[in-house]
């Protein structure tokens, strides 16, 4: 299980970045980052495999395979794995095998409680400063993408978004929240939130496609959050964002419960009936 003390582990472990300008959330033009070390490349490589689903929950991590993929020695791979274990994305068994973490229902509740606490704190800071027009425009585009998907769904006649559409939804949803969080210019909190979202992505491997009424609700909540930030109304922003995060938690728990019921049903079937149940 996850524990609240993980947050303090994350915060202590994170290096302090240079102060960022409060003028805009966009990086300065021409700014250059130093090249990544092999350990950092390995860390991002493993994270990408987990986020994409290539490394699924419960699957084993091979140092040798990763070293070949990155044309690296096993030492930086091992260091990156150690960092991901400390952050809760991977777990090590007594046998020495390393697995992608397999979250349970209570893990998701704890993750969302922590997410709500951090995002509410951040949105209060963000809503007390003036939002620049360029940032408002970008945030609005992320919001509008949800309605584009809803219109596509209604036109298609399907009851829920397909996998490609859900990936687009997840990308726009992540971009909206991530950009808002970046405006507080607290790299430590943003790193914790990004890691939490990756954990949620692992949990959501059994996620069903959104239906039109839910898309409309999410769109409305995102719009209300942005409007409150534009109006510099932190109380309204906190209230709507809290409701939005709690709605999201309920969706994830319902998806998980549905998957568990289906899994239990399949496990109880005789083997000769199992295949027909999937049709």
């Amino acid at each position: 299980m996850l524990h609240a003390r993980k947050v303090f582990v994350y915060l202590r472990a994170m290096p302090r970045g240079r102060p960022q300008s409060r003028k805009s959330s966009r990086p300065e033009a021409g700014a250059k980052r130093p090249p990544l070390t092999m350990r950092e490349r390995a860390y991002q490589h493993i994270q990408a495999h987990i986020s994409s689903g290539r490394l699924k929950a419960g699957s084993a991590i091979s140092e040798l395979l990763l070293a070949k993929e990155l044309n690296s020695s096993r030492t930086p791979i091992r260091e990156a794995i150690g960092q991901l274990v400390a952050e809760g994305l991977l777990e090590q068994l007594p046998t020495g095998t390393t697995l992608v973490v397999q979250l349970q229902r209570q893990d998701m509740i704890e993750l969302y409680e922590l997410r709500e606490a951090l995002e509410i704190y951040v949105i209060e800071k963000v809503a007390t400063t003036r939002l620049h027009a360029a940032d408002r425009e970008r945030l609005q585009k992320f919001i509008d993408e949800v309605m584009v998907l809803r219109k596509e769904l209604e036109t298609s006649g399907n009851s829920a978004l397909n996998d490609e559409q859900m990936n687009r939804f997840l990308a726009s949803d992540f971009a909206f929240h991530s950009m808002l969080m970046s405006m507080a210019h607290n790299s430590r909190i943003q790193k914790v939130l990004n890691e939490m979202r990756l954990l949620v992505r692992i949990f959501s491997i059994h996620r069903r496609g959104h239906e039109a009424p839910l898309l409309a609700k999410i769109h409305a909540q995102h719009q209300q959050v942005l409007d409150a930030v534009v109006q510099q109304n932190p109380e309204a922003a906190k209230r709507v964002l809290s409701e939005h995060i709690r709605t999201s938690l309920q969706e994830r728990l319902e998806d998980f419960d549905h998957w568990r019921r289906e899994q239990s049903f399949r496990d109880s079937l005789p083997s000769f009936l199992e295949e027909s149940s999937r049709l």
Side-chain angles (χ1 to χ4, degrees), residues 4-256:
R5 65 182 178 81
K6 278 279 187 182
V7 181
F8 302 106
V9 174
Y10 293 144
L11 296 179
R12 286 199 305 267
M14 292 176 59
R16 291 187 180 271
R18 294 180 179 177
Q20 299 182 43
S21 169
R22 298 184 62 84
K23 293 182 179 179
S24 172
S25 64
R26 294 171 296 170
E28 293 182 7
K32 292 184 179 180
R33 295 181 178 179
L36 297 176
T37 65
M38 184 54 71
R39 182 195 62 77
E40 291 169 335
R41 287 179 55 200
Y43 176 88
Q44 292 187 0
H45 184 74
I46 299 169
Q47 268 200 342
H49 278 6
I50 294 172
S51 179
S52 67
R54 182 174 175 182
L55 283 173
K56 300 185 183 300
S59 61
I61 303 295
S62 169
E63 288 183 12
L64 181 59
L65 181 59
L66 289 168
K68 288 182 178 179
E69 289 177 355
L70 292 168
N71 192 26
S72 163
S73 69
R74 295 175 67 172
T75 298
I77 305 297
R78 192 173 298 114
E79 291 172 349
I81 288 174
Q83 183 177 350
L84 289 163
V85 169
E87 293 173 354
L89 291 172
L90 303 178
E91 60 179 338
Q92 285 186 325
L93 303 182
T95 59
T97 302
T98 304
L99 305 176
V100 178
V101 70
Q102 200 152 18
L103 301 179
Q104 301 302 318
R105 200 178 195 276
Q106 183 59 30
D107 291 320
M108 182 55 55
I109 294 172
E110 292 179 14
L111 280 170
Y112 267 85
E113 287 176 347
L114 183 55
R115 176 189 168 190
E116 182 178 0
L118 291 175
E119 289 203 23
I120 292 302
Y121 169 78
V122 169
I123 202 68
E124 182 175 23
K125 291 185 64 178
V126 172
T128 58
T129 58
R130 186 172 68 87
L131 183 65
H132 286 256
D135 291 334
R136 179 179 180 178
E137 183 179 346
R138 290 179 67 198
L139 287 165
Q140 190 64 56
K141 287 181 179 179
F142 299 140
I143 294 172
D144 293 344
E145 175 65 13
V146 178
M147 288 308 291
V148 170
L149 288 165
R150 184 188 177 195
K151 290 178 181 178
E152 286 183 14
L153 179 59
E154 292 172 341
T155 301
S156 71
N158 297 325
S159 61
L161 298 180
N162 59 32
D163 289 345
E164 184 272 334
Q165 290 168 324
M166 272 302 292
N167 284 335
R168 284 165 53 197
F169 167 80
L170 292 171
S172 64
D173 181 71
F174 175 82
F176 175 76
H177 285 274
S178 182
M179 184 173 174
L180 277 175
M181 296 304 102
S182 73
M183 291 177 180
H185 304 291
N186 188 317
S187 60
R188 293 176 183 252
I189 288 179
Q190 190 166 6
K191 184 174 188 294
V192 173
L193 285 168
N194 287 341
E195 289 164 356
M196 287 169 56
R197 281 185 167 274
L198 187 51
L199 282 167
V200 170
R201 187 71 178 266
I202 297 171
F203 183 92
S204 300
I205 196 71
H206 312 297
R207 193 174 200 172
R208 294 172 292 177
H210 285 343
E211 298 178 350
L214 180 55
L215 291 172
K217 183 174 185 178
I218 293 170
H219 175 269
Q221 290 174 333
H222 281 186
Q223 189 65 61
Q224 289 167 16
V225 170
L226 177 57
D227 291 345
V229 170
V230 171
Q231 296 161 12
Q232 296 184 37
N233 186 340
E235 292 305 316
K238 290 192 295 180
R239 175 177 49 78
V240 177
L241 185 58
S242 177
E243 178 186 349
H244 175 60
I245 293 172
R246 293 181 185 188
T247 298
S248 183
L249 170 60
Q250 190 58 40
E251 295 160 20
R252 299 292 71 70
L253 294 178
E254 288 175 1
D255 284 345
F256 180 76

